[in-house]
Amino acid sequence: MQVWCYLLLVLRVAEGCTLEDHRETEQITAYTGGSVLLPCHCTDLHTTPERFIWEKYNTTNHTWEEISSESDRSTNSRIQLVNGHSPGNLSLLISHLTTKDGGMYRCNLEMKEHRFVFLTITGGCVLEKRSTLHSVTAHTGQSVLLPCYCTDLHTKPETFGWKKYNMDRNTWEEISSESGQYGSRVQLVNGHSPGNLSLLISHLTEEDGGHYQCNVKDGGHTFISLSLKGCILENSRTTLTISAHTGGSVLLPCYCTDLHTTPETFSWKKHNTTRNTWEEISSESGQYRNRVQLVNGHSPGNLSLLISHLTEEDGGEYQCNVKDSGHTYFRLTVTVSPQSLPFVPFAVVTVIFLHIIVAVVYCTKRNKDPTMVRYSNAEEDGAVSLQ
């Protein structure tokens, strides 16, 4: 039995590798940016060929050029053999495909057998609705998605970029997370679709409005006009009169006409009559420490201010100020609450009032009772007869 196994091993080594479907040409299509496997196998996957190479046909020189990690710096990190544990698997994996990778390949075994593969690389990313203008509206302070897609979401463009039009310089300027205006506010949100080139911009400001361009090499352009809605105050430049009591709370209402809008910057101020200046209010300022808070809930356009534990000093003129939108003015009157009267004077008044009531009742009863009158007269004469 051992002799037969030894003979079979000798015959297998002697036979060497024979390519499957040699001298035939296989047609394969792949996408730019993706990967492709060029198949080549020995009929017996356990056979290790003495020598084999992969070659590509150069249409310019009309020659076959060997492919190796040393032959071309642009491909040395993009090619690898994927034989795994099968020495007879001679397949070649090419990653990060470009349009230049298309053409005729051959797996050349010991210069006697060949396996041909013709690789077609699709024309790359072709943009949907290219050369058209999309209008997008968003709110300041929030986020917006600028859409840009390849017609085939599985296609990864060789190169692409986002640009914004600078009206002052009359130029298109590239957008990146390292650019000054956008910093860390921009990111691509392609998920698992390499053909999704959409751009997400967060924490929008009014300066972000304008014209954008999604540019794909050999794939066209998509133009987007971004309009931003800022905060427009209700009751702008009007004065609202509000009354409240000491010890209680008061809400100074201030709203954007669109409650979903987050103003870029806003502040609350109070007029200092002594200095004739408007001074900003915060929970850290002396007079209002831990007594003021914004009560917007889930509405970023609600800028209302709540002041608690009111004192007479809180009365005066207030201002809700939104950048580039105007002001809403308030005149707050704080009166002393009836419950705040001192206890001792109130008690004295109550006692006096009760004494007056008792005296009135006593006098009224005395005038109506004749017995009390006779007894009183007799007492005055010093003679009281006992019956």
Side-chain angles (χ1 to χ4, degrees):
M1 187 68 175
Q2 293 179 351
V3 174
W4 278 108
C5 290
Y6 176 76
L7 290 175
L8 288 174
L9 179 60
V10 170
L11 289 173
R12 179 175 294 172
V13 172
E15 290 175 1
C17 171
T18 301
L19 292 181
E20 284 189 355
D21 302 323
H22 67 283
R23 298 187 182 279
E24 293 187 5
T25 301
E26 183 170 353
Q27 303 282 342
I28 294 179
T29 300
Y31 300 100
T32 56
S35 300
V36 67
L37 184 67
L38 307 184
C40 184
H41 308 274
C42 298
T43 53
D44 185 347
L45 290 176
H46 298 287
T47 302
T48 303
E50 287 187 20
R51 183 176 183 274
F52 77 96
I53 58 173
W54 273 96
E55 299 172 304
K56 184 184 179 186
Y57 188 70
N58 188 323
T59 55
T60 304
N61 300 331
H62 302 287
T63 58
W64 287 95
E65 298 178 349
E66 185 176 353
I67 300 173
S68 69
S69 58
E70 292 86 13
S71 61
D72 189 351
R73 292 181 181 179
S74 64
T75 59
N76 60 359
S77 60
R78 299 191 299 120
I79 60 173
Q80 60 177 319
L81 295 175
V82 287
N83 57 0
H85 300 287
S86 302
N89 183 357
L90 316 178
S91 301
L92 183 70
L93 177 67
I94 308 176
S95 57
H96 306 293
L97 291 167
T98 68
T99 53
K100 295 180 181 179
D101 293 326
M104 181 69 76
Y105 293 79
R106 74 178 180 184
C107 175
N108 190 347
L109 178 63
E110 299 173 356
M111 303 301 178
K112 61 181 181 180
E113 290 187 351
H114 308 89
R115 176 79 162 82
F116 295 95
V117 178
F118 188 81
L119 176 61
T120 301
I121 305 296
T122 59
C125 169
V126 178
L127 289 179
E128 283 190 354
K129 301 179 180 179
R130 57 180 176 172
S131 300
T132 58
L133 179 64
H134 302 269
S135 296
V136 177
T137 301
H139 299 279
T140 57
Q142 297 189 350
S143 301
V144 67
L145 184 68
L146 305 184
C148 185
Y149 304 92
C150 301
T151 51
D152 185 345
L153 289 176
H154 298 288
T155 302
K156 182 178 181 180
E158 190 172 341
T159 57
F160 77 97
W162 276 95
K163 297 180 180 181
K164 185 186 177 186
Y165 184 69
N166 187 320
M167 296 183 63
D168 297 330
R169 300 179 181 177
N170 194 27
T171 57
W172 286 95
E173 298 179 350
E174 191 168 351
I175 298 172
S176 71
S177 58
E178 299 175 358
S179 58
Q181 178 181 345
Y182 297 97
S184 58
R185 298 189 300 119
V186 294
Q187 61 176 319
L188 295 175
V189 286
N190 57 359
H192 300 288
S193 302
N196 183 357
L197 316 177
S198 302
L199 183 72
L200 178 68
I201 308 176
S202 56
H203 306 294
L204 289 166
T205 67
E206 292 186 4
E207 295 178 353
D208 294 328
H211 294 282
Y212 291 79
Q213 177 190 114
C214 176
N215 184 8
V216 174
K217 182 180 178 181
D218 301 326
H221 311 81
T222 294
F223 297 96
I224 297 174
S225 177
L226 175 61
S227 300
L228 289 174
K229 289 184 176 181
C231 171
I232 300 175
L233 284 180
E234 286 189 355
N235 303 315
S236 178
R237 302 189 184 280
T238 60
T239 302
L240 304 179
T241 301
I242 298 177
S243 298
H245 296 287
T246 56
S249 300
V250 67
L251 183 69
L252 304 183
C254 184
Y255 305 91
C256 301
T257 52
D258 185 344
L259 290 176
H260 297 288
T261 302
T262 303
E264 189 174 344
T265 57
F266 76 97
S267 62
W268 276 94
K269 296 180 180 180
K270 184 186 179 185
H271 186 246
N272 187 321
T273 56
T274 305
R275 300 178 182 176
N276 194 25
T277 57
W278 288 93
E279 299 179 350
E280 190 165 348
I281 299 172
S282 72
S283 60
E284 298 176 359
S285 58
Q287 179 181 346
Y288 296 98
R289 186 178 299 275
N290 300 324
R291 296 195 299 122
V292 294
Q293 61 176 318
L294 295 176
V295 287
N296 57 359
H298 299 287
S299 302
N302 183 357
L303 317 176
S304 302
L305 183 71
L306 178 67
I307 308 176
S308 57
H309 307 294
L310 289 167
T311 66
E312 290 185 80
E313 294 178 353
D314 294 328
E317 294 183 347
Y318 291 79
Q319 177 190 106
C320 177
N321 183 6
V322 175
K323 182 181 178 182
D324 300 326
S325 179
H327 314 81
T328 297
Y329 295 95
F330 301 88
R331 184 173 292 112
L332 175 62
T333 302
V334 180
T335 57
V336 177
S337 173
Q339 297 178 352
S340 301
L341 289 174
F343 174 76
V344 174
F346 179 75
V348 172
V349 172
T350 303
V351 171
I352 294 173
F353 184 71
L354 289 175
H355 277 74
I356 294 173
I357 293 176
V358 171
V360 171
V361 172
Y362 174 77
C363 292
T364 303
K365 186 174 180 181
R366 179 181 178 185
N367 291 333
K368 290 183 179 181
D369 191 346
T371 304
M372 291 294 293
V373 174
R374 289 196 304 269
Y375 177 81
S376 177
N377 294 333
E379 188 180 23
E380 290 177 357
D381 293 339
V384 179
S385 60
L386 298 175
Q387 299 288 331

